[in-house]
Amino acid sequence: MNVNQSAPPLPPFGQSQPVYPGYHPSSYGGQPGSTAPPTPYGAYNGPVPGYQQTPPPGVSRAPPSSEAPPASTAQAPSGQAAYGQFGQGDVQNGPSSTVQMQRFPGSQPFGSVPLAPVVSQPTVLQPYGPPPTSAQVTAQLAGMQISGAVAPALPPVGLGYGPPTSLASASGSFPNSGLYGSYPQGQAPPLSQAQGHLGAQPPQRSAPPQASSFTSPASGGPRMPSMTGPLLSGQGFGGPSLSQPNHVSSPPPQALPPGTQMTGPPGPPPPMHSSQQPGYQLQQNGSFGPARAPQPNYGSSYPGAPTFGSQPGPPQPLPPKRLDPDAIPSPIQVIEDDRNNRGSEPFVTGVRGQVPPLVTTNFLVKDQGNASPRYIRCTSYNIPCTSDMAKQAQVPLAAVIKPLARLPPEEASPYVVDHGESGPLRCNRCKAYMCPFMQFVEGGRRFQCCFCSCINDVPPQYFQHLDHTGKRVDAYDRPELSLGSYEFLATVDYCKNNKFPSPPAFIFMIDVSYNAIRSGLVRLLCEELKSLLDFLPREGGAEESAIRVGFVTYNKVLHFYNVKSSLAQPQMMVVSDVADMFVPLLDGFLVNVSESRAVITSLLDQIPEMFADTRETETVFAPVIQAGMEALKAAECAGKLFLFHTSLPIAEAPGKLKNRDDRKLINTDKEKTLFQPQTGAYQTLAKECVAQGCCVDLFLFPNQYVDVATLSVVPQLTGGSVYKYACFQVENDQERFLSDLRRDVQKVVGFDAVMRVRTSTGIRAVDFFGAFYMSNTTDVELAGLDGDKTVTVEFKHDDRLNEESGALLQCALLYTSCAGQRRLRIHNLALNCCTQLADLYRNCETDTLINYMAKFAYRGVLNSPVKTVRDTLITQCAQILACYRKNCASPSSAGQLILPECMKLLPVYLNCVLKSDVLQPGAEVTTDDRAYVRQLVTSMDVAETNVFFYPRLLPLTKSPIESATEPPAVRASEERLSNGDIYLLENGLNLFLWVGASVQQGVVQSLFSVSSFSQITSGLNVLPVLDNPLSKKVRSLIDSLRAQRSRYMKLIVVKQEDKLEMLFKHFLVEDKSLSGGASYVDFLCHMHKEIRQLLS
């Protein structure tokens, strides 16, 4: 587990760490790895005010000459991002500067200047100076430079992307040294955010710049000390060519006097370079990152730099350049900008192909014909018209669909439409359901299907006249003609055996072996069930739930209980022939809770006593699921099994498993077997469960290896969930377990479901990811589906698409509600189509892309070596970015990494996926942990993968105590931790409270009720309830974070320099990880090298 391990690499998912006294984390993991290597950078405690730039001691500079500075020194106002000039507040990575940078008077010595000088650029396209000589051009391409304005035209032939590199292709495994090809450790290109002009317009925060670029050294050797030559031919300072659509307007800079030549004396330029770029001129292509003072431990201007205008001294060796972490794209800044720009207005879905706000932004949705992004999110909202274009871009075309997503209280649930016995209106040919995109013709007597273009008759009872626009006059009275999401009541034709279904049943199946009794689990569970059964899910305003319940206990044999309401005491029936499972009773096994309340309570009181003295340690597993399924079959209903299980099922029975845990297989070709089930018996069993509509939720309480990869097969294929509480102890884990159990029992579920995704002509669904079963290539079968589960669908072209008509998706889910009603839920979404790659790149959503790529990779490990999977991800990401660079970005030096604006976080997020415990496990991560996380991520939605792979780190003492809002997050890196502060870190499964060693005594007293840092108990799981503003604020923040997540996050208090800190640092994903994962800076350099190789 690395100090800088990626987010995903989760630590403990519920496993105790014997080394830490009293510590049984909710996460997974065992002993921490060896101590982390020292970080290559100094501690970071916030930005340097005003991005001050000071020279190293002893270096003085004469004031710059009064003539215009060299072309290379033109710089945009600080805090603005531009393809050529920064738009105000646009892509600002690192703290945004509100100070407008000013040129300092010539008389002022350099050392005293608070801000780096700026020369404004004119907005008009104005070439400056003669074309460069070839030597100058080469030097520009080779130099590591921040870039300035964008070129309006293509470069001269032969400039391309710089000389071909001879670097070996990436292997995807990053050595700990961090040396990628020509990048010395921790060195890399400063990033400049690029944005161009479409004329001079006022700044618009809502229009983000369209590309981020940063330069990197083309080779490791020393550079020419200065390159003050003019721009490449065809380059001006005004902005991009008008033919390049990927640029957004930015504010007009103050124009220079007409005819001003941007030239200057030879020798080093005036002091205008930012700290991470010692002594080199700013390059003309792209744009500038904010100038800032040197960070601790970073080199400033190179030592011995001659004063400006004086005789140059002897050449000095250059110190290694390190990429300033504040100059590369920041997830925190992007999230913050999106919240500010898009959080206040409702997202109205009436326009085709709109990219929604990020999942991290709170926003309201108004359905006006397209499904809400809470139900469907796409990797791109503008898809290529041809398959050739899609292959060129390599951007996966996928949708993450969450058909039963829960909505906030301010948004209405989908309307239920009842068409009576005739049922919902559909296309005769492709069977698509009536939706807002269907076109009515012939005065409303027929309609043309928007998916297959078939002309269908409108039934007489559905007929309505059209208005002057060709729209039905009742369109706004019918949800299916005006909304993106709605439900139809299904007719008997949509039911099994043409018979309406019975209400579903819940069966609780409890392991009563020695481990379960000894840990206190059985007693705790039975006590909880007494009250929990009053909260079974119910329909709308129903007084009580229609769901019936049953109870089974088991170890090597199974015990069924008759809890019929007419009995005085429950009756137990034992089935010891586990090889041929049958249900010994029908009447009295599944009962209504309110009718049998007294008998159920009596049973739950007796179970812990009956097995209190058991010495049976062996358990069975497959026969338990078989028994539950047979009981549902006999009752002719669908339902859910809640299994509470503690150990590897080694008793003689079908589905018996052996311990096959072998860490020696890691990083070998056989590693994939660790993720595959031991036996095919569980797949066969799952298939039978799906046919019966029997969904399985599994609660695991292992003290050692239980083969999660095999035990999770049935939950995975039936649409169920797996929960894991390693080394369960009642006092430490009861709150987490009971909270998960309550939520799992109470959540609304669709049973016996089938989902199909239809598309308009030109694309089709080809691949599916999630927790479900498929018996053919089109139907996703789910024994159960809840509001947390997603199905991810990938699309491919099978014909050419039309830019005018766009592309349509329709997701139809047929399911049985909790009350036993058969329903169809329909979600429709219209996307744009494009013939220009720039339009594709402008309408992508990185969070959804990462969700898809993680699921693709996590499925890949079942059949391929992990290293191959990692390499595939890196190659695909490099191809996506190289295609953008080649076809959409303004021409610029090969030393620059240019990222599309909406994909600038792709490298940092992808690195988090690569460093996750499934793809790069640390020494303390168990095989079960990896299998657990693998199946968990498979059905996560976009918001869950976002925080899982890039955790949130919140400083608690920076914001005012009286503020009710969440404190602003900081980047997940050790550099951002101040030892005088307290931080909360969450990733959706884990919650840490990190306490700095120098935190104020008053803060310690207010939160922990102890007088000093040394008295705080490390590994503490609960904060004392104290009556002071800070304690109330922190506890309320923890509650609100837990409420946002689908699983309870157990708190772990971590003290600075404590042994538990290694576990915490595992989640600081921008840093290098102990398992060998690259830091964000190193990975960015590596991606740049890969992209340059592809381009050369």
Side-chain angles (χ1 to χ4, degrees):
M1 178 178 311
N2 249 1
V3 178
N4 311 330
Q5 179 146 350
S6 101
L10 288 173
F13 262 109
Q15 180 152 319
S16 87
Q17 316 245 15
V19 194
Y20 316 143
Y23 163 62
H24 297 277
S26 62
S27 40
Y28 61 88
Q31 292 79 5
S34 58
T35 51
T39 73
Y41 356 115
Y44 174 87
N45 292 330
V48 180
Y51 301 114
Q52 240 168 336
Q53 172 104 17
T54 52
V59 178
S60 65
R61 298 217 172 189
S65 71
S66 55
E67 54 188 300
S72 59
T73 62
Q75 192 168 351
S78 136
Q80 300 185 1
Y83 231 135
Q85 279 99 284
F86 289 140
Q88 165 125 25
D90 286 339
V91 182
Q92 179 99 326
N93 297 307
S96 59
S97 161
T98 50
V99 186
Q100 187 73 12
M101 294 167 111
Q102 298 294 334
R103 190 169 169 72
F104 54 89
S107 61
Q108 198 173 356
F110 175 63
S112 64
V113 179
L115 295 168
V118 170
V119 176
S120 305
Q121 302 173 354
T123 41
V124 291
L125 291 170
Q126 217 180 49
Y128 292 106
T133 63
S134 61
Q136 286 172 327
V137 170
T138 311
Q140 280 174 313
L141 291 175
M144 166 179 173
Q145 293 141 334
I146 301 189
S147 27
V150 174
L154 290 170
V157 177
L159 282 178
Y161 290 96
T165 56
S166 56
L167 298 164
S169 72
S171 69
S173 61
F174 311 121
N176 272 324
S177 65
L179 299 173
Y180 297 149
S182 61
Y183 299 104
Q185 170 157 13
Q187 293 177 20
L191 163 72
S192 60
Q193 259 71 12
Q195 171 183 338
H197 293 269
L198 295 178
Q201 295 180 10
Q204 295 181 340
R205 277 197 71 97
S206 61
Q210 292 295 320
S212 306
S213 68
F214 33 140
T215 57
S216 70
S219 68
R223 315 270 182 265
M224 293 181 61
S226 92
M227 230 325 283
T228 55
L231 293 166
L232 297 179
S233 60
Q235 283 185 330
F237 267 108
S241 63
L242 297 177
S243 65
Q244 185 170 328
N246 244 21
H247 298 283
V248 180
S249 59
S250 70
Q254 301 135 354
L256 288 168
T260 306
Q261 288 286 83
M262 300 290 266
T263 54
M272 310 182 69
H273 32 73
S274 61
S275 58
Q276 66 270 25
Q277 237 179 269
Y280 299 135
Q281 69 155 62
L282 299 161
Q283 192 196 328
Q284 299 94 330
N285 311 320
S287 55
F288 318 109
R292 42 175 301 132
Q295 291 282 316
N297 296 6
Y298 299 0
S300 179
S301 309
Y302 55 87
T307 53
F308 184 65
S310 71
Q311 292 300 313
Q316 296 282 340
L318 301 176
K321 294 183 287 293
R322 183 172 189 291
L323 184 52
D324 178 358
D326 276 336
I328 56 180
S330 156
I332 303 305
Q333 191 65 43
V334 170
I335 288 168
E336 202 52 45
D337 288 347
D338 192 76
R339 281 181 180 158
N340 294 336
N341 297 333
R342 307 197 64 182
S344 51
E345 293 297 311
F347 178 68
V348 180
T349 71
V351 182
R352 182 177 83 187
Q354 276 187 109
V355 183
L358 298 181
V359 285
T360 43
T361 299
N362 280 326
F363 60 98
L364 280 180
V365 179
K366 286 191 174 168
D367 186 342
Q368 290 191 0
N370 282 295
S372 160
R374 303 192 205 287
Y375 295 122
I376 306 181
R377 276 189 180 262
C378 296
T379 53
S380 178
Y381 288 81
N382 201 332
I383 59 182
C385 281
T386 64
S387 58
D388 290 347
M389 190 172 154
K391 280 182 193 133
Q392 186 184 0
Q394 288 283 319
V395 177
L397 304 176
V400 180
I401 305 174
K402 197 175 180 185
L404 297 179
R406 285 187 310 279
L407 301 181
E410 304 83 29
E411 292 175 27
S413 296
Y415 287 95
V416 181
V417 179
D418 186 359
H419 281 316
E421 290 192 9
S422 60
L425 188 56
R426 304 175 72 173
C427 169
N428 292 329
R429 183 197 288 162
C430 70
K431 303 299 178 194
Y433 293 86
M434 179 54 68
C435 71
F437 311 124
M438 298 288 191
Q439 193 66 45
F440 286 88
V441 293
E442 297 180 24
R445 286 188 294 279
R446 308 179 94 184
F447 71 92
Q448 182 172 19
C449 176
C450 51
F451 294 92
C452 70
S453 304
C454 174
I455 303 281
N456 299 270
D457 290 327
V458 173
Q461 71 273 19
Y462 199 76
F463 173 78
Q464 186 53 274
H465 294 287
L466 308 184
D467 64 12
H468 64 285
T469 65
K471 224 175 177 176
R472 283 174 55 122
V473 296
D474 66 347
Y476 292 106
D477 301 328
R478 289 188 175 271
E480 74 273 21
L481 298 181
S482 56
L483 298 177
S485 302
Y486 42 87
E487 290 198 324
F488 290 120
L489 283 187
T491 58
V492 75
D493 306 335
Y494 291 87
C495 304
K496 259 187 200 163
N497 310 325
N498 280 354
K499 201 168 112 187
F500 281 114
S502 308
F506 283 179
I507 303 177
F508 296 91
M509 316 189 86
I510 305 166
D511 175 349
V512 287
S513 64
Y514 175 73
N515 279 343
I517 296 291
R518 189 195 59 179
S519 67
L521 168 65
V522 174
R523 189 173 295 279
L524 177 71
L525 175 59
C526 290
E527 203 51 49
E528 176 63 26
L529 285 176
K530 289 183 204 169
S531 55
L532 187 54
L533 294 176
D534 290 328
F535 298 97
L536 299 177
R538 63 193 73 181
E539 280 294 294
E543 281 191 19
E544 62 177 51
S545 174
I547 293 174
R548 292 170 296 163
V549 298
F551 300 89
V552 172
T553 57
Y554 67 93
N555 39 45
K556 267 187 1 186
V557 297
L558 276 76
H559 322 107
F560 292 79
Y561 297 92
N562 184 344
V563 283
K564 200 173 176 181
S565 56
S566 56
L567 296 174
Q569 284 293 320
Q571 295 172 347
M572 177 164 112
M573 298 184 179
V574 180
V575 177
S576 52
D577 182 5
V578 289
D580 182 22
M581 185 45 62
F582 67 97
V583 181
L585 76 161
L586 290 180
D587 187 35
F589 179 62
L590 294 178
V591 297
N592 178 291
V593 175
S594 55
E595 290 172 10
S596 298
R597 162 74 60 203
V599 193
I600 291 173
T601 304
S602 171
L603 170 67
L604 293 171
D605 283 336
Q606 289 176 40
I607 288 175
E609 307 308 327
M610 266 192 287
F611 299 99
D613 301 324
T614 185
R615 285 289 171 266
E616 185 54 75
T617 56
E618 292 187 359
T619 57
V620 295
F621 188 74
V624 184
I625 296 174
Q626 180 86 36
M629 183 195 67
E630 296 290 352
L632 293 176
K633 192 185 281 184
E636 295 184 349
C637 68
K640 186 184 269 200
L641 312 182
F642 294 85
L643 244 83
F644 304 89
H645 189 80
T646 60
S647 57
L648 192 68
I650 54 171
E652 278 307 323
K656 174 186 175 180
L657 301 179
K658 61 179 190 291
N659 187 336
R660 53 159 186 168
D661 190 16
D662 185 359
R663 290 196 63 84
K664 293 197 285 293
L665 297 181
I666 292 177
N667 295 326
T668 69
D669 283 352
K670 288 188 175 173
E671 183 174 4
K672 60 190 176 199
T673 60
L674 298 175
F675 296 110
Q676 297 165 354
Q678 265 187 58
T679 157
Y682 286 96
Q683 266 121 329
T684 311
L685 181 57
K687 189 176 168 182
E688 292 173 24
C689 286
V690 171
Q692 183 47 48
C694 168
C695 173
V696 179
D697 279 0
L698 174 60
F699 292 79
L700 283 172
F701 305 85
N703 289 334
Q704 54 202 19
Y705 178 75
V706 289
D707 199 349
V708 173
T710 305
L711 298 189
S712 65
V713 166
V714 178
Q716 179 79 3
L717 292 176
T718 59
S721 307
V722 179
Y723 299 84
K724 179 167 165 278
Y725 310 88
C727 300
F728 179 82
Q729 290 186 325
V730 170
E731 57 276 17
N732 289 332
D733 301 296
Q734 103 174 31
E735 192 178 359
R736 177 171 162 238
F737 163 55
L738 294 180
S739 173
D740 286 343
L741 176 63
R742 286 168 194 150
R743 198 168 184 284
D744 197 57
V745 168
Q746 293 174 37
K747 65 186 169 192
V748 173
V749 181
F751 293 95
D752 211 358
V754 181
M755 182 179 117
R756 184 177 279 197
V757 178
R758 293 180 174 84
T759 54
S760 53
T761 312
I763 54 169
R764 62 195 170 90
V766 293
D767 207 352
F768 300 84
F769 304 82
F772 52 76
Y773 175 76
M774 291 186 82
S775 55
N776 57 38
T777 56
T778 54
D779 293 335
V780 175
E781 299 172 45
L782 303 123
L785 176 67
D786 61 55
D788 298 324
K789 299 280 190 314
T790 64
V791 176
T792 302
V793 187
E794 186 183 7
F795 303 97
K796 289 261 165 75
H797 287 74
D798 57 7
D799 202 350
R800 192 183 170 88
L801 290 165
N802 184 330
E803 256 189 298
E804 282 181 28
S805 53
L808 302 175
L809 315 178
Q810 184 178 78
C811 163
L813 177 79
L814 174 65
Y815 71 99
T816 301
S817 74
C818 294
Q821 198 175 47
R822 203 69 176 148
R823 290 183 176 183
L824 281 152
R825 180 168 288 201
I826 312 294
H827 298 297
N828 304 287
L829 186 63
L831 302 172
N832 286 328
C833 297
C834 58
T835 52
Q836 299 293 321
L837 282 166
D839 292 327
L840 163 68
Y841 282 103
R842 202 188 293 109
N843 291 280
C844 288
E845 200 194 38
T846 300
D847 293 326
T848 311
L849 206 52
I850 287 293
N851 180 286
Y852 165 83
M853 291 170 104
K855 290 172 182 176
F856 178 81
Y858 281 17
R859 185 176 68 184
V861 298
L862 290 172
N863 306 307
S864 307
V866 170
K867 183 178 176 304
T868 308
V869 173
R870 291 164 48 81
D871 289 353
T872 305
L873 282 184
I874 291 172
T875 305
Q876 183 172 20
C877 181
Q879 285 172 328
I880 291 171
L881 298 176
C883 175
Y884 174 81
R885 171 69 186 257
K886 185 176 177 183
N887 299 289
C888 308
S890 297
S892 57
S893 147
Q896 261 193 319
L897 173 54
I898 297 183
L899 303 171
E901 172 55 25
C902 66
M903 281 190 191
K904 67 184 181 193
L905 298 182
L906 190 60
V908 61
Y909 286 163
L910 183 73
N911 190 34
C912 293
V913 175
L914 293 169
K915 294 199 292 184
S916 66
D917 286 341
V918 173
L919 299 182
Q920 196 166 33
E924 75 302 324
V925 179
T926 67
T927 307
D928 274 347
D929 294 334
R930 298 176 72 196
Y932 175 62
V933 175
R934 198 194 72 78
Q935 60 83 30
L936 207 56
V937 168
T938 308
S939 49
M940 274 187 183
D941 70 10
V942 179
E944 287 171 321
T945 50
N946 174 272
V947 75
F948 178 75
F949 288 117
Y950 192 95
R952 278 205 294 176
L953 184 61
L954 307 171
L956 298 185
T957 57
K958 297 263 168 69
S959 57
I961 286 186
E962 59 281 357
S963 162
T965 55
E966 263 178 32
V970 295
R971 292 167 71 164
S973 166
E974 193 175 357
E975 280 194 357
R976 310 285 157 164
L977 298 176
S978 153
N979 59 8
D981 206 350
I982 293 181
Y983 296 81
L984 263 179
L985 182 144
E986 65 117 357
N987 74 340
L989 296 174
N990 308 82
L991 187 61
F992 293 93
L993 186 73
W994 183 88
V995 186
S998 311
V999 74
Q1000 290 176 359
Q1001 188 184 343
V1003 171
V1004 172
Q1005 184 72 47
S1006 298
L1007 270 186
F1008 302 100
S1009 193
V1010 294
S1011 55
S1012 70
F1013 173 80
S1014 59
Q1015 292 175 295
I1016 299 171
T1017 309
S1018 181
L1020 194 68
N1021 298 130
V1022 63
L1023 292 178
V1025 178
L1026 303 173
D1027 188 16
N1028 66 67
L1030 181 63
S1031 175
K1032 286 176 181 169
K1033 178 183 174 176
V1034 172
R1035 284 181 291 111
S1036 134
L1037 177 60
I1038 289 171
D1039 290 342
S1040 99
L1041 292 178
R1042 284 172 172 160
Q1044 292 168 29
R1045 305 294 169 213
S1046 60
R1047 295 183 178 221
Y1048 184 88
M1049 298 185 293
K1050 177 174 154 186
L1051 180 71
I1052 300 171
V1053 173
V1054 176
K1055 293 164 68 176
Q1056 186 176 5
E1057 305 297 334
D1058 185 83
K1059 57 192 172 199
L1060 265 179
E1061 198 181 26
M1062 294 306 303
L1063 180 63
F1064 170 78
K1065 286 179 177 176
H1066 182 76
F1067 296 93
L1068 300 178
V1069 290
E1070 288 198 21
D1071 301 335
K1072 190 176 286 171
S1073 69
L1074 281 180
S1075 54
S1079 69
Y1080 175 19
V1081 168
D1082 286 346
F1083 183 69
L1084 206 49
C1085 298
H1086 182 70
M1087 280 314 301
H1088 189 195
K1089 193 188 88 176
E1090 289 282 300
I1091 291 165
R1092 289 174 64 181
Q1093 260 176 266
L1094 288 171
L1095 293 173
S1096 62

